[in-house]
Amino acid sequence: MKDLKFEQKASLSRLEAADQLSALAEALRHGGNAELELGPGTLSLRIPDELRTEIEVEVGDGEIELEIELKWPTARTET
């Protein structure tokens, strides 16, 4: 069982999608505790200095799907 799961599905304009990605990029750039405005709510995350990433592209059924996955442990690690 997952500790927490947040999922949001919406139709966005290209500019709205860019705004969401820019906000995420800014949070990643600064690290620490980040707050992302997503629709009517705010998602608060602790973002460490090191992340694991996965990028996946699927083409089929007349659509292109792009997934960008970022992973990091929930526990703080001492360096």
Side-chain angles (χ1 to χ4, degrees), residues 11 15 19 24 33 45-46 53 58 61 63 66 70 72-73:
S11 293
L15 293 177
D19 287 344
L24 178 58
N33 292 319
L45 296 171
R46 179 194 58 81
T53 66
E58 293 181 21
D61 296 328
E63 289 187 327
L66 169 64
L70 307 171
W72 61 89

Side-chain angles (χ1 to χ4, degrees), residues 29-48:
R29 187 169 287 111
H30 293 290
N33 292 319
E35 292 192 352
L36 300 170
E37 299 293 328
L38 297 174
T42 301
L43 178 62
S44 297
L45 296 171
R46 179 194 58 81
I47 301 176

Side-chain angles (χ1 to χ4, degrees), residues 44-76:
S44 297
L45 296 171
R46 179 194 58 81
I47 301 176
D49 291 337
E50 297 290 324
L51 309 165
R52 294 186 318 274
T53 66
E54 180 180 328
I55 297 176
E56 182 178 326
V57 177
E58 293 181 21
V59 179
D61 296 328
E63 289 187 327
I64 297 174
E65 181 177 330
L66 169 64
E67 291 183 23
I68 301 171
E69 191 171 290
L70 307 171
K71 291 184 184 182
W72 61 89
T74 55
R76 293 181 187 257

